[in-house]
Amino acid sequence: MSIEIGGLYTPCFVWREKSEKWEDDCGGAKKKQGALIMCWGMISYSWKGPFWVWESETEEEKVRATKDIINYNDNCGEEESQLFNAREARILATITGIKAKTTQSWKGKKYKIKKLKRGDSHGVDSWHYVTCLAQPLLWPACRVRKLDNPDFILMEDNAPVHNSDFTNYEREKEGIHKVDWPPNSPDLNPIEHLWNIMKSRIQTQRGVERQEWEKITIEEVNREISKLPNILAQCINQKGGNKFHG
């Protein structure tokens, strides 16, 4: 979730006479160029997970990330070889009927690892997302949820960092399954409605994001998740359209 501090989040209506249509103070409010805050959170029924506020990378962090990516790409060749050998062994076992012990790394499903490139200086790239958030926060939380519910499946939107080759590769190695996310469908994700609450509370000030996340109650979480069956039914009734309100 991202929000511009000082920007306009809710619609602004102005009463005016017909003759005032083109007056500067009646032409609609101008959007400010305030600081942009990017937040991340995680929910499930009767559970509210970790919360994260993205901060801009320092020059030192950028240099370290570039070095780490170079090392990662250098190691790709060795990992590709392991995956390729696993695939060959499985084919041989199918032909001969003799099972061979092979590496389970990423289950040998793919054996071509794409080289990773650093993203531009705008926003969060895949490397930043995986190393700073997914590995230390998201995926450990998913593993814990799977202990309570073996059918657990992760839902994310289609942000590029959520669905890049690198992110998908590293997530699948963790054994975490992810739902196919339909495009342009925020109503089908309960956390989007909680973000609306968060935006309305923090749009005028900076530094209270975590406090406002803490104020989100389990009752609010459950209420939004409980709406999902009805929202899905309406979406199906609309043949995939969005002319409804969740």
Side-chain angles (χ1 to χ4, degrees):
M1 184 269 290
S2 63
I3 183 172
E4 181 190 18
I5 298 301
L8 295 177
Y9 170 61
T10 55
C12 181
F13 299 98
V14 179
W15 288 101
R16 68 189 181 197
E17 300 290 340
K18 289 184 177 180
S19 60
E20 296 176 327
K21 181 177 181 179
W22 302 112
E23 295 291 332
D24 289 340
D25 57 352
C26 294
K30 305 284 191 304
K31 188 174 181 180
K32 299 180 181 178
Q33 298 297 319
L36 187 66
I37 300 173
M38 296 184 64
C39 304
W40 174 91
M42 185 178 183
I43 61 170
S44 183
Y45 194 82
S46 294
W47 179 79
K48 186 173 63 171
F51 180 78
W52 179 270
V53 179
W54 289 102
E55 300 290 348
S56 299
E57 284 184 288
T58 65
E59 290 303 319
E60 181 180 352
E61 289 172 334
K62 291 179 181 179
V63 171
R64 184 167 62 248
T66 300
K67 292 180 179 179
D68 289 342
I69 290 174
I70 292 174
N71 291 332
Y72 173 86
N73 287 335
D74 288 342
N75 292 329
C76 279
E78 180 180 351
E79 192 165 354
E80 284 175 6
S81 177
Q82 293 175 354
L83 295 174
F84 185 76
N85 290 337
R87 180 175 180 272
E88 284 186 325
R90 288 183 174 84
I91 294 174
L92 183 62
T94 300
I95 297 173
T96 63
I98 301 175
K99 292 184 178 181
K101 185 176 180 181
T102 60
T103 176
Q104 293 300 308
S105 177
W106 210 40
K107 299 181 181 180
K109 291 187 295 185
K110 296 182 179 179
Y111 54 93
K112 183 62 178 177
I113 304 174
K114 293 185 178 180
K115 299 293 185 179
L116 180 64
K117 295 181 180 180
R118 191 83 232 258
D120 58 29
S121 59
H122 305 290
V124 179
D125 65 6
S126 298
W127 179 265
H128 198 183
Y129 174 73
V130 169
T131 59
C132 294
L133 193 151
Q135 289 177 339
L137 286 180
L138 173 58
W139 295 337
C142 290
R143 288 193 292 269
V144 172
R145 302 306 297 170
K146 286 184 68 174
L147 293 177
D148 296 331
N149 178 13
D151 295 325
F152 169 85
I153 185 168
L154 174 66
M155 175 188 283
E156 294 181 302
D157 62 22
N158 273 337
V161 297
H162 295 163
N163 201 36
S164 70
D165 291 327
F166 174 64
T167 303
N168 289 334
Y169 175 70
E170 294 296 324
R171 187 189 65 254
E172 291 198 35
K173 287 199 299 184
E174 297 287 336
I176 298 169
H177 301 294
K178 176 179 171 179
V179 67
D180 290 333
W181 177 253
N184 302 322
S185 52
D187 282 309
L188 304 185
N189 190 345
I191 201 171
E192 294 292 342
H193 301 281
L194 298 180
W195 288 142
N196 287 340
I197 296 174
M198 290 280 290
K199 286 181 178 181
S200 66
R201 293 176 178 175
I202 68 176
Q203 63 175 333
T204 59
Q205 54 184 328
R206 177 70 168 91
V208 297
E209 300 84 11
R210 189 170 300 277
Q211 295 94 311
E212 294 301 336
W213 175 257
E214 294 297 330
K215 292 179 183 178
I216 299 292
T217 66
I218 294 299
E219 289 73 22
E220 287 175 310
V221 171
N222 289 348
R223 182 177 67 244
E224 296 304 330
I225 294 177
S226 297
K227 293 178 182 177
L228 193 54
N230 181 53
I231 292 174
L232 287 169
Q234 293 183 60
C235 184
I236 293 172
N237 186 54
Q238 292 286 335
K239 302 185 183 301
N242 59 358
K243 295 181 180 180
F244 62 88
H245 298 285

